[in-house]
Amino acid sequence: MRITEFRVTPIAFGDPPVRAAFGLHAPYALRTIVELVTDDGLSGVSETHGGAAVVADLEAIRELVLGRDPFQLASLEAQIWSSGARYGAPTTTPWEGKLSSPPRTFAAVEVACLDLIGKTTGRPVCDLLGGAVRERVPFSAYLFYKHAGAGGPFGFGPDPQATTGWPLARQQEALSAEALVSQAQAMCAEYGFQSLKLKAGVLPPDEEVRTIRLLREAFGPHTPLRIDPNTAWSLETSVRCGEQLAGLLEYYEDPVAGKEQMAELARRCPIPLATNMCCVSFADLPETIRLGSVQIILGDHHFWGGLRASVELARICRTWGIGMSMHSNSHLGISLAAMTHLAAAVPNLTYACDTHYPWQSEEIIVGGKWRFEGGSLTVPKGPGLGVELDREALARMHEQYLAAGLSHRDDELEMQKVEPGWRRMVPRW
Amino acid sequence: MRITEFRVTPIAFGDPPVRAAFGLHAPYALRTIVELVTDDGLSGVSETHGGAAVVADLEAIRELVLGRDPFQLASLEAQIWSSGARYGAPTTTPWEGKLSSPPRTFAAVEVACLDLIGKTTGRPVCDLLGGAVRERVPFSAYLFYKHAGAGGPFGFGPDPQATTGWPLARQQEALSAEALVSQAQAMCAEYGFQSLKLKAGVLPPDEEVRTIRLLREAFGPHTPLRIDPNTAWSLETSVRCGEQLAGLLEYYEDPVAGKEQMAELARRCPIPLATNMCCVSFADLPETIRLGSVQIILGDHHFWGGLRASVELARICRTWGIGMSMHSNSHLGISLAAMTHLAAAVPNLTYACDTHYPWQSEEIIVGGKWRFEGGSLTVPKGPGLGVELDREALARMHEQYLAAGLSHRDDELEMQKVEPGWRRMVPRW
């Protein structure tokens, strides 16, 4: 089995104007779809980050991919690293700009290869990772402060067809604690999520703490809650808010910037700390562990180097007694499939996974959107990832990419369109 | 695909009277052969440590194995751990007695499952571990001080059929530096090994240091040399010998006992330290790394929890900048196949692997002994491990196991037969 075609297609899909410490989501989110075709007629697919630099990174390894047997992954990874690592590419948010390109580039190909391997062996991808230890994967409700608007072609306006339930709630403004509770109730009514994550670092910290308190009141004492200020808080603010949030949170995600400050906060705060910002690569692990910066790492196969690397990360977390959760960017159903197979195979991924998926109304896989039951997804039992690319949707979203005119994610710029002169600040409070 | 048969066969094979700090090898070495048969008629095989406790551990998980799909490895591993870990079983040498049973028990089944998966997918086992990054795996010459004798039915006597070359040299006494050089020359003439490992902790340290010096003279300045006193040396002796050995060694393996003393030695000795004694499980890693006990870990899939766990260990070593080599016990060709596939797939396994294989004259695989070229083995390209069990040899070696009357390895007891009252001492010098 040899790879004969390597297709890299940048796409854009509608994304509502949600807020984070980085700024504001643009009307379109960017992703990249990778397709591999083999000489025996199989095709494998994956989804990764979006934008011009991601596409360029993938195009740069075309000759390493074509002609390759999809099982030969370790050599591909080594060749990508030796072909030149690039750090700090100005492709995405400041946070994502810290990611190194080789693991992301390799991961995009690795997942498509595992889809191929699954198809040629008749096995779901989770079986290529050691087999499923759970049949259903729980996800959390990802709550955002946001401006009014449905995103995509509607921008800050409502989608006229979305008039009830979560589709309506998704486009409504939510810039207060009370509005966030309504958002959470609508999302959970639709998806059945059993745990809640609040994207914070947007409103003054006291309002965000009040949001957690109201969520606790609305959802009762047993619903796990998380807050993620994305390093918008100072150490002192993080300590002070931590005192107020103690007993209310499952974990406290990246309130403060950097391994050193996270370690200092860990000493002064009774809540377990989590990160997908101060530890985003294997190279970050020795210092993170030595300093004791976090108790939980949010993995993400898209930038940790793929599904097998994520299983290896899970072994490291088990070995050092670090908990595991899963990070998400705006994504479609191919990423969700990969995340679900991975989560099924990792015994110590005991926290519900993050997903932006409810915020997206478009889909790129045949059969439309994944359906959640009780906040969980059933692990697909078919060969490979268990999803099929909708070529019509791919073509449409590629057209949207070209029309959107966005070469990279820039939440700060989008925010400046709403508030001229707005700048991301670390810390803001 | 379901496992319908699970055969566990203890075997014994002839082993010459080689010495180590633990004592003396018995005339027969013990191993255990695991066979899995599936409902579609495939069979997978593996080889692990020997003796009654190892067999009992495997028999204890019979119900977890039967009926299982061989791809479901993560759940099997978790079930074995939760069915009760046992540490310090009095089955083997003091060193091996520190090993925990769950990873060893799981590994024996995992390797046979990977053999099955390879066979059902038509792929060599290395392809199930990420693919080969090297086509040939180098091994080192494993040199032992020894008493005269061929082992097996000949005990301390010579095998009358082995009259020339390495088969003759293998049975000759070697209890001096000069005799070790002759042994090394005979072994390298036969196998072409490019690096040498001296099992030490047997003669007074000055004689062992002299052996290294003579090996350096005999094999020239570019042949990597290692010495392994198996914790028979005190810290002061290790420091003193380290000064004498500086510039002569590739690495210095377990001269002194325990993570703390190894860390202290690392501060006082210019030679990279290696271990397969103070760090033998994932649970050992945090302290080993925190203390800086070693620069090189000798992995061993038989007790680290299998081939996939060994790939995970390799990721940990890459992440923390620790080198990787591979440990060996007395073994036959099934273990050698698994070791070779693993070594082929691990990019950072850059040291030649240890193997006791030249010391064994019997074999349990069809086609007889593996053939080395230039000290290396070519990675098998056939499905699975690429070896087939010789059922006649299996039956014969099982008979030998029953006749030998050994329930576990006890090098101290064997040594006492030669030197009454001999005891292992840590340290001896």
Side-chain angles (χ1 to χ4, degrees):
Chain A
M1 184 165 56
R2 297 286 158 181
I3 296 166
T4 53
E5 289 184 55
F6 177 38
R7 299 186 198 130
V8 178
T9 310
I11 62 166
F13 50 83
D15 200 26
V18 302
R19 291 276 299 272
F22 307 110
L24 181 67
H25 280 209
Y28 288 92
L30 308 182
R31 295 291 272 184
T32 309
I33 304 300
V34 169
E35 292 172 88
L36 301 176
V37 180
T38 63
D39 53 5
D40 50 1
L42 292 176
S43 65
V45 68
S46 74
E47 174 186 339
T48 185
H49 295 175
V54 173
V55 171
D57 287 343
L58 285 162
E59 290 295 348
I61 62 160
R62 176 168 293 279
E63 294 309 311
L64 296 179
V65 174
L66 290 174
R68 180 173 296 272
D69 165 8
F71 283 84
Q72 306 312 315
L73 293 166
S75 58
L76 176 64
E77 185 176 15
Q79 286 165 347
I80 290 176
W81 275 103
S82 63
S83 71
R86 179 174 54 70
Y87 289 88
T91 54
T92 50
T93 63
W95 160 70
E96 289 173 332
K98 288 196 311 178
L99 302 180
S100 67
S101 64
R104 174 165 63 191
T105 305
F106 171 69
V109 179
E110 187 236 24
V111 172
C113 284
L114 290 171
D115 191 25
L116 282 172
I117 293 171
K119 285 174 177 168
T120 195
T121 61
R123 287 287 176 160
V125 163
C126 60
D127 279 4
L128 310 176
L129 305 173
V133 295
R134 53 183 69 87
E135 293 191 354
R136 294 169 59 74
V137 171
F139 289 82
S140 64
Y142 207 150
L143 310 174
F144 285 88
Y145 298 107
K146 71 182 291 289
H147 298 191
F154 308 108
F156 290 101
D159 174 356
Q161 295 201 310
T163 55
T164 60
W166 169 244
L168 174 62
R170 176 166 54 192
Q171 64 194 23
Q172 291 175 323
E173 180 182 280
L175 288 169
S176 70
E178 287 77 6
L180 251 288
V181 172
S182 296
Q183 181 190 95
Q185 288 168 330
M187 190 188 281
C188 290
E190 179 75 14
Y191 292 91
F193 293 123
Q194 307 292 312
S195 56
L196 311 177
K197 165 166 175 163
L198 174 62
K199 183 61 101 181
V202 174
L203 303 181
D206 287 348
E207 180 67 3
E208 297 187 338
V209 169
R210 196 171 74 85
T211 303
I212 290 291
R213 288 206 182 109
L214 290 194
L215 288 169
R216 172 60 66 217
E217 287 171 20
F219 285 85
H222 303 303
T223 301
L225 303 179
R226 316 162 182 177
I227 191 168
D228 176 11
N230 279 127
T231 73
W233 294 356
S234 70
L235 180 60
E236 292 312 313
T237 298
S238 299
V239 170
R240 179 176 64 78
C241 292
E243 288 166 0
Q244 297 170 22
L245 292 166
L248 296 174
L249 291 184
E250 178 181 39
Y251 58 71
Y252 195 13
E253 184 182 337
D254 290 314
V256 71
K259 299 177 184 72
E260 293 275 2
Q261 286 201 96
M262 285 288 277
E264 176 62 21
L265 178 61
R267 287 186 284 273
R268 296 172 60 183
C269 173
I271 312 171
L273 300 188
T275 193
N276 71 287
M277 295 182 73
C278 78
C279 184
V280 295
S281 72
F282 287 96
D284 285 319
L285 281 164
E287 190 181 5
T288 301
I289 287 173
R290 182 170 55 77
L291 294 174
S293 304
V294 296
Q295 287 77 55
I296 295 134
I297 290 175
L298 283 79
D300 183 330
H301 73 270
H302 302 89
F303 59 81
W304 275 91
L307 298 175
R308 293 164 57 258
S310 297
V311 169
E312 293 164 5
L313 171 63
R315 171 70 80 169
I316 290 174
C317 287
R318 278 207 297 289
T319 298
W320 272 270
I322 294 170
M324 284 212 83
S325 188
M326 191 185 285
H327 169 261
S328 153
N329 282 114
S330 299
H331 67 89
L332 297 175
I334 299 170
S335 278
L336 189 59
M339 293 159 69
T340 301
H341 282 284
L342 174 60
V346 172
N348 50 319
L349 185 53
T350 54
Y351 294 99
C353 300
D354 285 353
T355 178
H356 287 60
Y357 196 67
W359 294 100
Q360 270 69 64
S361 49
E362 296 175 78
E363 186 47 286
I364 201 164
I365 56 174
V366 171
K369 305 279 287 177
W370 286 70
R371 275 165 286 277
F372 290 76
E373 282 181 34
S376 294
L377 290 179
T378 301
V379 183
K381 295 204 190 306
L385 291 171
V387 295
E388 188 187 341
L389 189 59
D390 178 339
R391 308 206 67 84
E392 202 172 305
L394 178 71
R396 180 173 50 75
M397 291 189 209
H398 180 58
E399 288 301 315
Q400 285 177 174
Y401 176 85
L402 298 175
L406 299 167
S407 66
H408 61 279
R409 177 178 165 186
D410 189 339
D411 289 13
E412 189 174 62
L413 180 70
E414 294 301 320
M415 192 65 199
Q416 287 165 356
K417 295 176 183 173
V418 178
E419 286 188 28
W422 189 93
R423 297 299 301 265
R424 182 188 177 215
M425 294 166 63
V426 180
R428 182 177 300 280
W429 291 284
Chain B
M1 184 165 56
R2 298 285 158 182
I3 296 166
T4 53
E5 289 184 54
F6 176 39
R7 300 187 198 127
V8 178
T9 309
I11 61 167
F13 49 84
D15 199 24
V18 302
R19 290 276 299 272
F22 308 111
L24 181 68
H25 280 210
Y28 288 92
L30 309 181
R31 295 292 273 182
T32 308
I33 304 300
V34 169
E35 293 172 87
L36 302 176
V37 181
T38 64
D39 53 6
D40 50 2
L42 291 177
S43 66
V45 68
S46 75
E47 175 186 339
T48 185
H49 296 175
V54 173
V55 171
D57 287 342
L58 285 161
E59 290 296 347
I61 63 162
R62 175 168 294 278
E63 294 310 310
L64 295 178
V65 173
L66 290 173
R68 180 172 296 270
D69 165 8
F71 282 84
Q72 306 312 315
L73 293 166
S75 58
L76 175 63
E77 185 176 15
Q79 287 164 347
I80 290 176
W81 275 103
S82 64
S83 72
R86 178 174 55 70
Y87 289 87
T91 55
T92 49
T93 65
W95 159 70
E96 289 172 330
K98 287 197 312 180
L99 302 180
S100 66
S101 63
R104 173 165 64 191
T105 305
F106 171 70
V109 179
E110 186 235 25
V111 172
C113 284
L114 290 171
D115 190 25
L116 282 172
I117 292 171
K119 284 174 178 168
T120 194
T121 60
R123 287 287 175 159
V125 162
C126 60
D127 278 5
L128 310 176
L129 305 173
V133 294
R134 53 183 68 87
E135 293 191 353
R136 294 169 58 75
V137 172
F139 289 81
S140 62
Y142 206 150
L143 310 174
F144 285 87
Y145 298 107
K146 71 181 290 289
H147 298 191
F154 308 106
F156 291 101
D159 173 356
Q161 296 202 309
T163 54
T164 60
W166 169 243
L168 174 63
R170 176 166 55 194
Q171 64 193 24
Q172 291 175 323
E173 180 183 280
L175 289 169
S176 70
E178 286 77 7
L180 251 288
V181 172
S182 297
Q183 181 189 97
Q185 288 168 329
M187 190 189 280
C188 290
E190 178 76 14
Y191 293 91
F193 294 124
Q194 306 293 312
S195 56
L196 311 177
K197 165 167 175 164
L198 174 63
K199 182 61 103 182
V202 174
L203 303 182
D206 287 347
E207 181 67 3
E208 297 188 338
V209 169
R210 196 172 74 86
T211 303
I212 290 291
R213 289 204 181 112
L214 289 194
L215 287 169
R216 172 60 65 218
E217 287 171 20
F219 285 85
H222 303 304
T223 301
L225 303 179
R226 317 162 180 176
I227 191 168
D228 176 11
N230 279 128
T231 74
W233 293 357
S234 70
L235 180 60
E236 292 312 314
T237 298
S238 300
V239 170
R240 179 176 64 78
C241 291
E243 288 165 0
Q244 297 172 21
L245 292 167
L248 296 174
L249 291 184
E250 176 181 41
Y251 58 70
Y252 194 15
E253 184 182 337
D254 289 313
V256 72
K259 299 178 184 70
E260 292 277 2
Q261 285 201 97
M262 285 289 276
E264 176 63 20
L265 179 60
R267 287 186 284 273
R268 297 171 60 182
C269 173
I271 312 170
L273 300 188
T275 191
N276 71 287
M277 294 182 73
C278 78
C279 184
V280 296
S281 71
F282 287 96
D284 285 319
L285 282 164
E287 190 180 5
T288 301
I289 287 173
R290 182 169 56 75
L291 295 174
S293 304
V294 296
Q295 286 77 56
I296 294 133
I297 290 174
L298 283 79
D300 182 330
H301 73 270
H302 301 89
F303 59 81
W304 275 91
L307 298 175
R308 294 164 57 259
S310 297
V311 170
E312 294 164 5
L313 171 63
R315 171 70 80 168
I316 291 174
C317 289
R318 276 206 298 289
T319 299
W320 272 270
I322 295 169
M324 283 211 84
S325 188
M326 191 186 285
H327 169 260
S328 153
N329 283 113
S330 299
H331 67 89
L332 297 175
I334 299 171
S335 278
L336 189 59
M339 293 159 69
T340 302
H341 282 284
L342 174 61
V346 171
N348 50 320
L349 185 53
T350 54
Y351 294 99
C353 301
D354 285 353
T355 178
H356 286 60
Y357 196 67
W359 293 100
Q360 270 69 65
S361 50
E362 296 175 78
E363 186 47 286
I364 202 163
I365 56 174
V366 171
K369 304 281 286 179
W370 286 69
R371 273 165 288 277
F372 290 76
E373 283 181 34
S376 294
L377 290 178
T378 301
V379 183
K381 294 203 190 308
L385 290 172
V387 295
E388 189 186 341
L389 189 60
D390 178 339
R391 308 205 67 86
E392 201 172 305
L394 178 71
R396 179 173 49 77
M397 291 190 209
H398 179 59
E399 287 302 316
Q400 286 178 174
Y401 176 85
L402 297 175
L406 299 167
S407 65
H408 63 278
R409 177 180 166 187
D410 190 338
D411 289 13
E412 190 174 63
L413 180 69
E414 294 301 320
M415 192 64 201
Q416 287 165 357
K417 295 176 183 173
V418 179
E419 287 189 28
W422 189 94
R423 297 300 300 267
R424 183 188 178 216
M425 293 167 64
V426 180
R428 181 176 300 280
W429 290 284

